[in-house]
Amino acid sequence: MPPAKPESAVDRDQRIGLQRIRDFLKVRTSYDVLPLSFRLIIFDTSLLVKKSLTILIQNGIVSAPLWDSTTSTFAGLLTTSDYINLIQYYWQNPEAVNRIDQFKLNSLRDIEKAIGVSPLETISIKPTRPLYEACRRMLETRARRIPLVDYDDETGRAMVVSVLTQYRILKFVAVNVHETQLLRKPLKHLKLGTYKNLETARMETSVFEVIHQLVSCNISSVPILNSDGVVTNVFEAVDVITLIKGANYDELNLNVGEALQKRSDEFPGIYTCSIDDRLDTIFDTIRKSRVHRLVVIDEDNRLVGVLTLSDILEYILLEGEGEDAKID
């Protein structure tokens, strides 16, 4: 057997940087990530879906924990996936458009059954558990956010504390773990991101078609290209919420270009990187800006791949940990 190749300085720094991040995640709790002051909006499952949309838009949020007041229990998390399921139901049952206005949040599971999609797993974690454990649960269930639910010591009743997102976790790491500066290997040398079989669309593509891409591929965004393959924008799952506010499903007949014009003026734009960029600079971007994904482009702004926060989270938790640590 030939002797093992000596570890390079870059590989050693990468390994040390990843280990420092994991050590940090194991000694900090989900509570630690929460800001000193924050607002939490919880929806009762008896609320009309139409009203929930209005509240989300008015408050600039895209998800909310659900509470069943009849049983005084946590009932899951409302996300853009639920609204996309509703759109699919409308698509398959156009005659039901009048009834959709009367749907309540507790009807969403019936809609999942009607359109034949698997119900999203209702996951949560106690806020006192290690942050590393919350990250593992998110990866195992492919969830992009996880509710923090505590329990009263005397009554055992659940209390929803907050919702933890991948972005908030990675920003917490970027701000507090200085060893992210050791992650200097470029993306082209890492198994990080998606570079094959990418879903794309054009400005002329119908919104319905892009929604089908989001659902069938279980993705949260679709890059928008021009005729030369240059990235001009990204259609995100959250864009759907703006389109159907006020239960105006006619907006779904728009094309992508028309739909993106309805975005809020506060939309931060899209973030890009190249395969030569490194995780240390990407963490620096996450620390400074509200990033949910990076579109990987070449020197001519043509699409190369997509790097999501899920990709980054899985890498910093599992890279080099062996097969037993991998997520199925």
Side-chain angles (χ1 to χ4, degrees), residues 84-95:
I84 289 175
N85 288 341
L86 186 65
I87 290 170
Q88 288 186 285
Y89 179 83
Y90 163 68
W91 199 358
Q92 296 176 16
N93 304 275
E95 74 285 352

PDB file of all heavy atoms in Angstrom, residues 84-95:
ATOM      1  N   ILE A  84     -48.372  26.741  -2.274  1.00  0.00           N
ATOM      2  CA  ILE A  84     -48.138  26.131  -3.581  1.00  0.00           C
ATOM      3  C   ILE A  84     -49.035  24.900  -3.751  1.00  0.00           C
ATOM      4  O   ILE A  84     -49.572  24.643  -4.832  1.00  0.00           O
ATOM      5  CB  ILE A  84     -46.649  25.785  -3.761  1.00  0.00           C
ATOM      6  CG1 ILE A  84     -45.842  27.086  -3.942  1.00  0.00           C
ATOM      7  CG2 ILE A  84     -46.441  24.853  -4.946  1.00  0.00           C
ATOM      8  CD1 ILE A  84     -44.348  26.881  -4.012  1.00  0.00           C
ATOM      9  N   ASN A  85     -49.217  24.137  -2.669  1.00  0.00           N
ATOM     10  CA  ASN A  85     -50.149  23.006  -2.719  1.00  0.00           C
ATOM     11  C   ASN A  85     -51.564  23.486  -3.022  1.00  0.00           C
ATOM     12  O   ASN A  85     -52.303  22.844  -3.783  1.00  0.00           O
ATOM     13  CB  ASN A  85     -50.136  22.249  -1.393  1.00  0.00           C
ATOM     14  CG  ASN A  85     -48.868  21.447  -1.191  1.00  0.00           C
ATOM     15  OD1 ASN A  85     -48.150  21.152  -2.135  1.00  0.00           O
ATOM     16  ND2 ASN A  85     -48.583  21.096   0.054  1.00  0.00           N
ATOM     17  N   LEU A  86     -51.932  24.612  -2.435  1.00  0.00           N
ATOM     18  CA  LEU A  86     -53.261  25.177  -2.683  1.00  0.00           C
ATOM     19  C   LEU A  86     -53.418  25.568  -4.154  1.00  0.00           C
ATOM     20  O   LEU A  86     -54.471  25.348  -4.766  1.00  0.00           O
ATOM     21  CB  LEU A  86     -53.479  26.393  -1.785  1.00  0.00           C
ATOM     22  CG  LEU A  86     -54.878  27.025  -1.796  1.00  0.00           C
ATOM     23  CD1 LEU A  86     -55.904  26.053  -1.242  1.00  0.00           C
ATOM     24  CD2 LEU A  86     -54.886  28.325  -0.988  1.00  0.00           C
ATOM     25  N   ILE A  87     -52.357  26.123  -4.728  1.00  0.00           N
ATOM     26  CA  ILE A  87     -52.383  26.497  -6.146  1.00  0.00           C
ATOM     27  C   ILE A  87     -52.539  25.257  -7.018  1.00  0.00           C
ATOM     28  O   ILE A  87     -53.304  25.247  -7.995  1.00  0.00           O
ATOM     29  CB  ILE A  87     -51.093  27.263  -6.508  1.00  0.00           C
ATOM     30  CG1 ILE A  87     -51.103  28.640  -5.846  1.00  0.00           C
ATOM     31  CG2 ILE A  87     -50.950  27.393  -8.028  1.00  0.00           C
ATOM     32  CD1 ILE A  87     -49.774  29.362  -5.936  1.00  0.00           C
ATOM     33  N   GLN A  88     -51.831  24.186  -6.668  1.00  0.00           N
ATOM     34  CA  GLN A  88     -51.974  22.947  -7.427  1.00  0.00           C
ATOM     35  C   GLN A  88     -53.402  22.404  -7.351  1.00  0.00           C
ATOM     36  O   GLN A  88     -53.941  21.896  -8.326  1.00  0.00           O
ATOM     37  CB  GLN A  88     -50.999  21.894  -6.897  1.00  0.00           C
ATOM     38  CG  GLN A  88     -49.552  22.152  -7.242  1.00  0.00           C
ATOM     39  CD  GLN A  88     -48.686  21.004  -6.801  1.00  0.00           C
ATOM     40  OE1 GLN A  88     -48.406  20.829  -5.624  1.00  0.00           O
ATOM     41  NE2 GLN A  88     -48.284  20.187  -7.751  1.00  0.00           N
ATOM     42  N   TYR A  89     -53.989  22.531  -6.172  1.00  0.00           N
ATOM     43  CA  TYR A  89     -55.375  22.084  -6.006  1.00  0.00           C
ATOM     44  C   TYR A  89     -56.304  22.899  -6.905  1.00  0.00           C
ATOM     45  O   TYR A  89     -57.186  22.343  -7.572  1.00  0.00           O
ATOM     46  CB  TYR A  89     -55.782  22.239  -4.541  1.00  0.00           C
ATOM     47  CG  TYR A  89     -57.210  21.818  -4.261  1.00  0.00           C
ATOM     48  CD1 TYR A  89     -57.526  20.478  -4.047  1.00  0.00           C
ATOM     49  CD2 TYR A  89     -58.235  22.755  -4.211  1.00  0.00           C
ATOM     50  CE1 TYR A  89     -58.834  20.078  -3.798  1.00  0.00           C
ATOM     51  CE2 TYR A  89     -59.544  22.367  -3.963  1.00  0.00           C
ATOM     52  CZ  TYR A  89     -59.839  21.031  -3.754  1.00  0.00           C
ATOM     53  OH  TYR A  89     -61.135  20.651  -3.523  1.00  0.00           O
ATOM     54  N   TYR A  90     -56.078  24.219  -6.927  1.00  0.00           N
ATOM     55  CA  TYR A  90     -56.878  25.096  -7.788  1.00  0.00           C
ATOM     56  C   TYR A  90     -56.673  24.730  -9.257  1.00  0.00           C
ATOM     57  O   TYR A  90     -57.616  24.712 -10.049  1.00  0.00           O
ATOM     58  CB  TYR A  90     -56.479  26.549  -7.531  1.00  0.00           C
ATOM     59  CG  TYR A  90     -56.916  27.516  -8.616  1.00  0.00           C
ATOM     60  CD1 TYR A  90     -58.260  27.809  -8.830  1.00  0.00           C
ATOM     61  CD2 TYR A  90     -55.964  28.139  -9.426  1.00  0.00           C
ATOM     62  CE1 TYR A  90     -58.650  28.693  -9.825  1.00  0.00           C
ATOM     63  CE2 TYR A  90     -56.344  29.023 -10.421  1.00  0.00           C
ATOM     64  CZ  TYR A  90     -57.690  29.292 -10.619  1.00  0.00           C
ATOM     65  OH  TYR A  90     -58.078  30.157 -11.604  1.00  0.00           O
ATOM     66  N   TRP A  91     -55.443  24.420  -9.609  1.00  0.00           N
ATOM     67  CA  TRP A  91     -55.100  24.039 -10.978  1.00  0.00           C
ATOM     68  C   TRP A  91     -55.851  22.775 -11.399  1.00  0.00           C
ATOM     69  O   TRP A  91     -56.365  22.662 -12.513  1.00  0.00           O
ATOM     70  CB  TRP A  91     -53.591  23.814 -11.050  1.00  0.00           C
ATOM     71  CG  TRP A  91     -53.017  23.860 -12.425  1.00  0.00           C
ATOM     72  CD1 TRP A  91     -53.678  24.034 -13.603  1.00  0.00           C
ATOM     73  CD2 TRP A  91     -51.635  23.725 -12.757  1.00  0.00           C
ATOM     74  NE1 TRP A  91     -52.793  24.020 -14.657  1.00  0.00           N
ATOM     75  CE2 TRP A  91     -51.538  23.828 -14.164  1.00  0.00           C
ATOM     76  CE3 TRP A  91     -50.486  23.534 -12.012  1.00  0.00           C
ATOM     77  CZ2 TRP A  91     -50.315  23.736 -14.835  1.00  0.00           C
ATOM     78  CZ3 TRP A  91     -49.269  23.449 -12.675  1.00  0.00           C
ATOM     79  CH2 TRP A  91     -49.184  23.549 -14.065  1.00  0.00           C
ATOM     80  N   GLN A  92     -55.914  21.800 -10.464  1.00  0.00           N
ATOM     81  CA  GLN A  92     -56.577  20.528 -10.768  1.00  0.00           C
ATOM     82  C   GLN A  92     -58.099  20.610 -10.619  1.00  0.00           C
ATOM     83  O   GLN A  92     -58.819  19.789 -11.182  1.00  0.00           O
ATOM     84  CB  GLN A  92     -56.036  19.433  -9.841  1.00  0.00           C
ATOM     85  CG  GLN A  92     -54.560  19.127 -10.039  1.00  0.00           C
ATOM     86  CD  GLN A  92     -54.027  18.115  -9.042  1.00  0.00           C
ATOM     87  OE1 GLN A  92     -54.795  17.421  -8.380  1.00  0.00           O
ATOM     88  NE2 GLN A  92     -52.707  18.025  -8.915  1.00  0.00           N
ATOM     89  N   ASN A  93     -58.569  21.604  -9.844  1.00  0.00           N
ATOM     90  CA  ASN A  93     -60.006  21.738  -9.590  1.00  0.00           C
ATOM     91  C   ASN A  93     -60.438  23.186  -9.782  1.00  0.00           C
ATOM     92  O   ASN A  93     -60.825  23.864  -8.824  1.00  0.00           O
ATOM     93  CB  ASN A  93     -60.333  21.287  -8.166  1.00  0.00           C
ATOM     94  CG  ASN A  93     -59.871  19.875  -7.864  1.00  0.00           C
ATOM     95  OD1 ASN A  93     -60.552  18.909  -8.147  1.00  0.00           O
ATOM     96  ND2 ASN A  93     -58.676  19.775  -7.280  1.00  0.00           N
ATOM     97  N   PRO A  94     -60.371  23.712 -11.014  1.00  0.00           N
ATOM     98  CA  PRO A  94     -60.683  25.127 -11.236  1.00  0.00           C
ATOM     99  C   PRO A  94     -62.103  25.503 -10.816  1.00  0.00           C
ATOM    100  O   PRO A  94     -62.360  26.660 -10.480  1.00  0.00           O
ATOM    101  CB  PRO A  94     -60.486  25.304 -12.748  1.00  0.00           C
ATOM    102  CG  PRO A  94     -60.558  23.919 -13.317  1.00  0.00           C
ATOM    103  CD  PRO A  94     -60.021  23.017 -12.266  1.00  0.00           C
ATOM    104  N   GLU A  95     -63.000  24.528 -10.815  1.00  0.00           N
ATOM    105  CA  GLU A  95     -64.374  24.842 -10.409  1.00  0.00           C
ATOM    106  C   GLU A  95     -64.475  25.119  -8.909  1.00  0.00           C
ATOM    107  O   GLU A  95     -65.504  25.621  -8.430  1.00  0.00           O
ATOM    108  CB  GLU A  95     -65.302  23.669 -10.774  1.00  0.00           C
ATOM    109  CG  GLU A  95     -65.178  22.438  -9.902  1.00  0.00           C
ATOM    110  CD  GLU A  95     -63.928  21.594 -10.171  1.00  0.00           C
ATOM    111  OE1 GLU A  95     -63.224  21.906 -11.166  1.00  0.00           O
ATOM    112  OE2 GLU A  95     -63.660  20.652  -9.410  1.00  0.00           O
TER     113      GLU A  95
END
